[in-house]
C-alpha cells in the first residue's frame, strides 16, 4: 500500500524527531465593531465591505488591553489543551507586528503574565506570515532536542496602528491572538514541512513607515500619519494569490500529497476573494477551506492561529488528518505548512 505521505524531514534529519502541535487556543477581545458602525465613521457601506472583502465584523481590544494580554489569554487556553503548566515551557515565540512596545519583547511580557519563569522568550516579525515563521522556528528546537515544550503565539492589536479615517484600510483589520504548544509526541509526524518565502523588493506595498530607526516619532511624523499602516490593496491582492498558491503547492509537493489528501485548508484570512481565488487554483472544495474572516477581519499574525484553534474546536479535523496552512503578508512574506494533526 502506498504511504499516506512522505516525511521530507526523514531523509536529511538524522537527529531530528517529529514536532507535534499538542494544544491550540485563541482569544479575541469582547468588543465587536460591525460594518454598520463603520458606516458612521467613514464613507463606506456594509454592502461594499461585504462584497469586496467578506468581512462583517471585527474585534477591537480595550484601551487597557494590549497585544501581550491577548497573547497570554490564547496561550493559557493552548496550555490547558496540551495539559502543560507554565513551568513546562522552555521557549516562548511571539509573532507580531504590533508589539506592546519596541522593547522589551512582547514574548517577555507574556512570559511574565503566564508565569513561565523557566522559558526563554523572543518576538519575530514576519507580518501576516508570522505564525508559520514562528512554527517553523519553534519546531527546530524540538527537532534538535534542544527543548521539550515551545509556546508559539500569533497576536495583534492592529486597531492601534489603523488610521480610523482611512476607509481603504480601517474596515479590514481586527485584534486577536492564537497560540500553539509544540512538543514531540510518539507515533505522530506532526509538522511535516513549512515553506517560507520573502520579497523585500516589494516592501513598500504594505508598511508602517514611522516609529523605527528610519523615522523615529516626532510631532511631524505623527501629523503626517506615518505611524499608521498603509497598503496598496490591489497590488497586494495580486501578489497574495500567486505567492499563497505556489507556497501551498511546494509544501504539498515536499510531502508527496495532493489537495485531495488534505482534510482542512486554513488560509490567511485577509479577503474572501483571495481565499476563493487560492482555493480555486489549489482545487480545494468549499468544505476543505476554513473561513472565519467574516467574524474577525484580518488579524495578521493571529489569523491562521485563531482559525486553526476554531477548526479544531469545530471538529473539522481529527488526529491523523492533514492540515494545510497558507499565509501571506507584508515584507512581502509568505509561507505554507503541512501538519499531520
Ligand atoms: O494581510 C496582508 C495582506 N493583505 C491583503 O491581502 C489585502 C489585499 N487587498 C484587498 O483585499 C483588496 O485590494 C481591498 C479589499 C483592500 C480593496 O479591494 P479592491 O477591489 O482592490 O478595491 P480598490 O482598492 O480598487 O478600490 C475600489 C474603489 C475605490 O474607489 P474608486 O477609486 O474606484 O472611485 C476605492 O476608493 O473602492 C473604494 N473604496 C471603498 N469604498 C467604500 C476603498 N475602500 C472602500 C470602503 N468603502 N471601505
Amino acid at each position: 500500500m502506498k504511504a499516506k505521505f512522505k516525511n521530507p524531514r526523514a531523509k536529511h534529519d538524522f537527529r531530528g524527531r517529529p514536532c507535534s502541535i499538542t494544544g491550540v487556543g485563541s482569544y479575541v477581545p469582547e468588543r465587536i465593531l460591525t460594518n454598520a458602525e463603520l458606516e458612521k465613521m467613514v464613507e463606506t457601506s456594509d454592502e461594499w465591505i461585504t462584497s469586496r472583502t467578506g468581512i462583517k465584523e471585527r474585534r477591537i481590544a480595550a484601551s487597557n488591553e494590549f497585544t501581550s494580554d491577548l497573547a497570554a489569554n490564547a496561550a493559557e487556553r493552548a496550555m490547558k489543551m496540551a495539559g502543560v503548566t507554565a513551568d513546562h515551557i522552555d521557549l516562548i515565540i511571539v509573532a507580531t507586528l504590533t508589539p506592546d512596545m519596541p522593547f522589551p519583547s512582547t514574548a517577555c511580557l507574556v512570559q511574565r503574565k503566564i508565569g513561565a519563569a523557566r522559558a526563554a522568550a523572543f518576538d519575530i516579525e514576519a507580518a501576516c506570515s508570522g505564525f508559520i515563521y514562528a512554527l517553523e522556528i519553534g519546531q527546530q528546537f524540538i527537532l534538535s532536542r534542544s527543548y521539550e515544550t515551545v509556546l508559539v503565539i500569533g497576536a495583534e492589536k492592529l486597531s492601534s496602528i489603523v488610521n480610523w479615517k482611512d476607509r481603504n484600510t480601517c474596515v479590514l483589520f481586527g485584534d486577536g491572538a492564537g497560540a500553539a504548544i509544540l512538543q514531540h509526541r510518539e507515533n505522530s509526524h506532526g509538522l511535516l514541512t513549512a515553506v517560507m518565502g520573502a520579497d523585500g523588493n516589494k516592501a513598500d506595498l504594505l508598511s508602517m513607515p514611522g516609529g523605527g530607526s528610519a523615522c523615529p516619532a516626532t510631532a511631524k511624523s505623527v501629523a503626517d500619519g506615518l505611524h499608521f499602516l498603509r497598503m496598496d490593496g490591489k497590488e497586494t491582492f495580486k501578489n497574495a494569490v500567486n505567492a499563497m498558491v505556489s507556497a501551498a503547492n511546494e509544501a504539498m509537493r515536499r510531502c508527496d500529497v495532493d489537495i485531495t489528501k488534505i482534510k482542512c485548508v486554513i488560509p490567511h484570512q485577509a479577503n474572501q476573494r483571495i481565499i476563493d481565488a487560492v482555493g480555486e487554483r489549489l482545487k480545494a472544495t468549499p468544505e476543505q477551506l476554513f473561513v472565519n474572516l467574516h467574524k474577525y477581519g484580518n488579524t495578521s499574525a493571529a489569523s491562521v492561529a485563531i482559525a486553526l484553534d476554531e477548526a479544531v474546536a469545530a471538529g473539522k479535523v481529527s488526529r491523523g488528518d492533514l492540515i494545510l496552512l497558507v499565509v501571506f503578508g507584508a515584507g512581502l512574506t509568505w509561507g505554507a505548512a503541512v501538519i499531520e494533526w
Side-chain angles (χ1 to χ4, degrees):
M1 196 175 75
K2 192 172 183 307
K4 201 161 90 178
F5 50 75
K6 181 176 88 184
N7 184 348
R9 306 276 184 212
K11 64 176 187 301
H12 43 74
D13 231 341
F14 301 109
R15 284 193 312 142
R17 56 175 179 171
C19 167
S20 288
I21 298 179
T22 55
V24 281
S26 65
Y27 175 82
V28 290
E30 264 171 49
R31 161 91 167 100
I32 295 173
L33 178 65
T34 63
N35 290 351
E37 286 172 272
L38 280 164
E39 285 177 353
K40 297 185 194 124
M41 294 162 63
V42 285
E43 179 82 37
T44 191
S45 65
D46 174 47
E47 196 284 320
W48 191 95
I49 302 170
T50 307
S51 63
R52 308 303 284 180
T53 73
I55 302 165
K56 296 301 279 184
E57 56 191 44
R58 66 289 290 144
R59 299 300 179 102
I60 304 295
S63 58
N64 62 351
E65 194 177 27
F66 313 123
T67 298
S68 64
D69 297 307
L70 310 181
N73 286 333
E76 273 165 356
R77 291 175 183 182
M79 286 156 59
K80 189 162 177 223
M81 180 172 166
V84 301
T85 52
D87 51 313
H88 284 107
I89 296 171
D90 298 306
L91 174 65
I92 302 171
I93 307 174
V94 174
T96 186
L97 54 76
T98 49
D100 286 21
M101 56 193 82
F103 69 89
S105 69
T106 299
C108 283
L109 303 174
V110 171
Q111 188 233 31
R112 176 168 71 187
K113 279 177 183 156
I114 64 173
R118 284 195 333 71
F122 62 86
D123 289 358
I124 65 123
E125 203 277 90
C128 303
S129 308
F131 190 68
I132 284 187
Y133 271 63
L135 272 184
E136 172 66 348
I137 297 165
Q139 88 144 338
Q140 296 299 331
F141 291 92
I142 306 286
L143 285 171
S144 64
R145 297 171 195 265
S146 301
Y147 290 135
E148 296 302 318
T149 304
V150 176
L151 168 61
V152 169
I153 307 170
E156 302 285 8
K157 184 174 176 177
L158 290 165
S159 59
S160 66
I161 60 163
V162 157
N163 179 354
W164 292 102
K165 293 190 174 129
D166 175 16
R167 69 176 184 172
N168 289 293
T169 52
C170 76
V171 302
L172 303 173
F173 298 97
D175 302 335
I181 297 287
L182 306 185
Q183 291 176 312
H184 169 65
R185 203 177 61 216
E186 290 300 328
N187 305 320
S188 170
H189 293 86
L191 185 45
L192 288 164
T193 195
V195 173
M196 301 189 290
D199 183 0
N201 290 318
K202 293 178 179 161
D204 294 339
L205 288 183
L206 181 47
S207 68
M208 188 179 88
S213 60
C215 177
T218 61
K220 183 166 181 339
S221 73
V222 173
D224 290 346
L226 300 181
H227 301 273
F228 292 130
L229 166 164
R230 46 178 72 180
M231 175 169 72
D232 176 340
K234 265 207 185 336
E235 271 310 303
T236 306
F237 189 117
K238 274 189 247 161
N239 281 278
V241 175
N242 291 334
M244 289 169 81
V245 169
S246 69
N249 280 328
E250 169 64 10
M252 289 190 287
R253 190 195 61 71
R254 287 188 195 173
C255 303
D256 199 17
V257 294
D258 64 27
I259 194 74
T260 62
K261 302 285 189 307
I262 304 286
K263 183 71 191 296
C264 187
V265 180
I266 302 182
H268 175 47
Q269 310 281 312
N271 186 315
Q272 186 65 50
R273 290 183 293 140
I274 295 177
I275 295 173
D276 291 343
V278 169
E280 200 173 300
R281 284 174 55 184
L282 292 177
K283 298 194 168 54
T285 63
E287 294 70 42
Q288 279 172 299
L289 282 175
F290 188 82
V291 179
N292 63 5
L293 170 80
H294 51 290
K295 295 191 290 183
Y296 306 130
N298 182 347
T299 57
S300 187
S303 163
V304 289
I306 298 172
L308 175 62
D309 178 46
E310 293 199 345
V312 170
K316 300 276 179 200
V317 287
S318 309
R319 285 293 179 193
D321 287 340
L322 294 184
I323 300 172
L324 172 65
L325 299 181
V326 53
V327 295
F328 177 83
L332 297 175
T333 54
W334 55 84
V338 178
I339 300 164
E340 185 198 27
W341 183 244

